[in-house]
Amino acid sequence: MPKLILILGDQLNLAISSLQQIDRDVDTILLAEVWDEATYVKHHKKKIALIFTAMRHFAAELSQEGFSVRYVKLDDANNTQTIKNEVGRACVDLASTEVVATEAAEFRLLDDMRHWQQDLGIPVSILQDSRFLATQTEFSEWAEGKKQLRMEFFYREMRRKYHILMEGDQPIGGKWNYDKQNRQSLPAKQVVPAPSGFEPDRLTLSVLDLVEQFFSSHFGDLTPFRFAVNREQALQVLNTFITQRLPLFGDYQDAMAQDEPWLFHSHISFYLNCGLLLPLETIKAAEAAYCAGQAPLNAVEGFIRQILGWREYVRGLYWLKMPEYKQDNHLLAHRSLPEFFWTGKTKMNCLSQCISETKENAYAHHIQRLMVLGNFALLAGLSPDEVNEWYLIVYADAYEWVELPNVSGMILFADGGVLASKPYAASGAYIHKMSDYCQHCHYNVKEKNGSQACPFNYLYWDFLHRNIEKLGNNPRLGMPYRTLANMTDEKHNAVKRDAEIFFRAIETNEEV
Ligand code: FAD
Ligand code: DLZ
Ligand code: SF4
């Protein structure tokens, strides 16, 4: 009885659960490039190119391994342009009697998949996603009955479960978390290693042509395109990170620097999220570097926490809270995204840098996403729907399961504190401390009010004032709210006036 094994564009790994069910002699694997997936938001051109070329390379590898593969290209004449209809068409053509798929990572598509059996009139088995380290059941059991779902405690459970950086039942070094050591800014003389990059091969060049032809109206620069496109190259990115960047990952994890988009980060989220790398192998590689004395504990623990902790935690939270999570807007933020989010044309140098780099690379590191772009979105009261859509569009590692909790939970506090115990709001002083952006800015970070003042400074106080009813009792905001309470009327009025002028300017698309 021939089965059809579906592999989606973010499931590109030989260990994927659907592939474990294959009978090589009779079954066929389906991979399909479809308009529906490429345009449910107008993804960055580099993201579409990455997924399509990684799909084509993976299909070629499967064929070499002796599997029977049906690959549908975007411009194939009979392509129906949806995953469901491509599954249906393949089943008819191949006389398949059953479909086997690994669950889609996004709610939207998994919800659709659950109707395929009925819609297509063929049995459809949906298997658990083997690319993650905590199952949804494990996460819900951990969350059950807890008032607060703090990542730190989930992370400790995961360390115990996988016995990572442990001595018996205690963390190596005696502490679970070395975050306090991981907050240095980048010294001017610090040399940053060049990021890994690969020349596009023939397959990739044909995809770049296709993306140029069909998606030219999408955001972002398509070239230069230097992403890894297969497992071998993705492993090279990981190994180069472990030897060249990991030792300083911790020290400069929160640093930002002018014209330095990559710093000491790993740049592996693209590959983890489409299956070219698996989380446990990246964690084990970092742990091995620590055991061999090649990287310090603060760096290794910090890196592992991102993957074993944050990545698994946000995915667990996503499935626990969807679909309602997407509607959350606790702070009732409704302002539209300013035009400069698409162009980078703003006199605020930190935003201009982060947006221009995003446009060029489909990448920004965590602190840029959180403390510059996210902080601005929070302080300016931008609408969660629009901010979520922007983040889902612009990054090559963006999938809703990871993007939504980071945006609605971590930056916008739209979930009312499920993910974070307080909003990550900060004035220009934070950006000044962690970067050299302010040295190159039209505005003055030391000025608090007036036309030359850094907008983050007055927007910060205006944000706290606007949201006093919702946030005023938050114990972690006690200090700033006490400062606010002691402000003179004159200062209050200056903050209000500057914020109003600023908001009017962005609403009328004046350059700010
Ligand atoms: P590193 O800094 O080297 O970290 C290592 C790995 O840890 C990453 O590759 C990633 O897999 C994981 N990780 C780190 N932080 C997080 C986090 N907060 N949540 C989940 N995983 C994490 N990450 C995505 O993969 N896709 C997204 O769409 C995405 N959107 C984000 C939106 C906002 C507003 C914020 C604040 C963060 C977002 N992140 C997202 C998390 C993080 O910024 C990226 O994972 C990271 O910048 C990727 O670069 P890197 O591989 O060099 O990461
Ligand atoms: C992101 C993406 C894109 C751009 N295109 C495709 C595609 O054409 N075919 C496909 O199977 N998958 C694609 N993907 C990945 C899916 O969007 C992803 O599987 C879902 O968002 C679930 O995570
Ligand atoms: Fe950003 Fe303000 Fe610094 Fe300019 S002065 S770079 S707007 S923080």
Side-chain angles (χ1 to χ4, degrees):
M1 301 295 249
K3 298 194 288 293
L4 183 75
I5 310 286
L6 172 67
I7 297 190
L8 294 168
D10 57 350
Q11 299 177 342
L12 309 178
N13 197 290
L14 288 173
I16 197 77
S17 50
S18 53
L19 208 49
Q20 311 318 304
Q21 306 280 316
I22 199 161
D23 177 345
R24 280 174 188 253
D25 296 334
V26 288
D27 298 344
T28 301
I29 299 167
L30 170 69
L31 290 107
E33 296 169 7
V34 294
W35 192 251
D36 236 28
E37 290 306 308
T39 58
Y40 69 87
V41 293
K42 289 184 85 175
H43 306 284
H44 194 297
K45 294 188 195 86
K46 275 198 167 89
K47 177 179 179 187
I48 301 177
L50 170 64
I51 297 301
F52 285 5
T53 188
M55 285 172 72
R56 290 184 187 193
H57 280 86
F58 188 62
E61 256 171 67
L62 289 169
S63 299
Q64 273 162 20
E65 293 273 331
F67 292 107
S68 160
V69 179
R70 173 178 166 116
Y71 194 94
V72 182
K73 290 186 177 167
L74 188 84
D75 51 358
D76 282 354
N78 296 325
N79 189 337
T80 58
Q81 305 298 352
T82 72
I83 300 277
K84 179 174 87 177
N85 291 336
E86 279 314 291
V87 167
R89 193 165 70 90
C91 286
V92 172
D93 290 353
L94 301 165
S96 313
T97 52
E98 188 191 346
V99 176
V100 176
T102 295
E103 61 192 352
E106 294 188 339
F107 185 91
R108 157 193 75 77
L109 190 53
L110 182 57
D111 199 36
D112 191 45
M113 266 183 169
R114 288 187 174 128
H115 297 98
W116 289 358
Q117 179 153 319
Q118 197 177 8
D119 294 354
L120 298 173
I122 189 167
V124 177
S125 307
I126 302 177
L127 308 177
Q128 245 181 38
D129 195 337
S130 44
R131 297 174 310 137
F132 292 92
L133 298 173
T135 64
Q136 289 161 33
T137 312
E138 277 173 325
F139 189 86
S140 334
E141 281 171 8
W142 171 78
E144 179 93 44
K146 289 195 173 57
K147 271 199 189 140
Q148 292 194 317
L149 301 180
R150 293 294 162 249
M151 192 288 292
E152 182 63 31
F153 298 109
F154 170 74
Y155 164 60
R156 292 178 190 180
E157 293 294 313
M158 295 296 283
R159 287 266 297 271
R160 288 194 186 98
K161 175 178 171 190
Y162 285 94
H163 204 75
I164 301 292
L165 294 180
M166 298 292 288
E167 261 166 350
D169 64 350
Q170 291 305 307
I172 284 185
K175 285 199 298 183
W176 291 101
N177 182 317
Y178 292 84
D179 228 9
K180 284 210 177 90
Q181 291 173 37
N182 291 355
R183 291 177 189 153
Q184 296 182 41
S185 58
L186 194 78
K189 286 191 190 139
Q190 178 64 53
V191 177
V192 179
S196 301
F198 304 87
E199 280 305 308
D201 62 5
R202 197 179 40 79
L203 268 187
T204 300
L205 288 173
S206 68
V207 166
L208 296 181
D209 283 347
L210 179 101
V211 173
E212 195 52 66
Q213 189 186 345
F214 290 99
F215 303 100
S216 59
S217 70
H218 283 217
F219 174 79
D221 303 346
L222 180 58
T223 56
F225 184 92
R226 294 179 49 81
F227 283 136
V229 297
N230 57 30
R231 180 156 165 82
E232 194 187 324
Q233 292 180 345
L235 282 169
Q236 268 184 53
V237 176
L238 172 65
N239 292 334
T240 310
F241 163 70
I242 298 286
T243 51
Q244 297 187 0
R245 303 177 122 83
L246 178 63
L248 291 179
F249 174 86
D251 290 358
Y252 303 127
Q253 195 180 348
D254 287 1
M256 298 176 281
Q258 184 82 8
D259 299 326
E260 289 286 3
W262 307 101
L263 292 176
F264 288 89
H265 293 271
S266 65
H267 325 136
I268 59 168
S269 50
F270 320 114
Y271 315 124
L272 277 170
N273 294 355
C274 74
L276 293 183
L277 292 176
L278 292 173
L280 200 55
E281 67 191 350
T282 67
I283 291 167
K284 292 270 188 199
E287 188 183 41
Y290 170 70
C291 294
Q294 288 157 358
L297 190 54
N298 70 308
V300 173
E301 187 283 314
F303 175 71
I304 288 176
R305 176 154 28 91
Q306 304 314 311
I307 299 177
L308 189 59
W310 277 111
R311 185 169 187 271
E312 294 293 328
Y313 168 86
V314 296
R315 177 184 180 249
L317 194 65
Y318 175 78
W319 286 106
L320 189 72
K321 298 288 178 187
M322 278 297 279
E324 295 78 15
Y325 204 71
K326 225 178 154 169
Q327 314 307 325
D328 285 353
N329 189 358
H330 180 67
L331 299 180
L332 302 177
H334 294 295
R335 183 162 286 107
S336 287
L337 207 69
E339 184 58 25
F340 66 71
F341 266 74
W342 301 110
T343 62
K345 284 195 184 129
T346 160
K347 292 182 280 189
M348 288 180 276
N349 180 50
C350 51
L351 283 166
S352 164
Q353 276 275 305
C354 296
I355 294 165
S356 308
E357 290 172 5
T358 297
K359 199 161 164 271
E360 212 173 301
N361 303 320
Y363 176 84
H365 63 73
H366 186 65
I367 291 298
Q368 293 178 309
R369 295 188 206 196
L370 178 66
M371 296 310 294
V372 176
L373 298 158
N375 186 25
F376 179 84
L378 173 75
L379 300 187
L382 304 187
S383 133
D385 282 350
E386 293 193 31
V387 180
N388 272 302
E389 191 186 26
W390 186 83
Y391 274 94
L392 200 51
I393 285 176
V394 303
Y395 294 114
D397 58 22
Y399 297 85
E400 194 183 71
W401 64 265
V402 50
E403 172 279 326
L404 181 67
N406 272 297
V407 170
S408 281
M410 197 178 298
I411 67 168
L412 297 181
F413 209 68
D415 66 0
V418 174
L419 182 143
S421 53
K422 74 173 178 75
Y424 283 83
S427 70
Y430 178 87
I431 295 169
H432 183 45
K433 183 168 154 248
M434 295 313 301
S435 76
D436 58 353
Y437 291 152
C438 303
Q439 290 170 31
H440 306 269
C441 189
H442 165 87
Y443 296 103
N444 185 343
V445 72
K446 304 276 180 203
E447 284 191 33
K448 310 292 181 213
N449 288 102
S451 63
Q452 281 309 301
C454 165
F456 281 93
N457 289 344
Y458 49 80
L459 291 179
Y460 174 74
W461 292 113
D462 186 65
F463 165 79
L464 289 178
H465 183 67
R466 268 192 342 257
N467 292 293
I468 196 159
E469 272 183 30
K470 298 253 168 71
L471 302 175
N473 289 330
N474 184 316
R476 297 200 58 206
L477 292 174
M479 195 130 87
Y481 271 112
R482 277 193 294 281
T483 308
L484 189 71
N486 289 329
M487 268 181 188
T488 61
D489 286 350
E490 195 187 356
K491 172 72 183 170
H492 266 298
N493 291 338
V495 164
K496 192 160 183 277
R497 177 203 63 212
D498 289 342
E500 275 171 10
I501 294 171
F502 183 88
F503 289 140
R504 210 172 310 127
I506 58 173
E507 278 157 18
T508 54
N509 209 6
E510 257 175 67
E511 195 177 353
V512 287

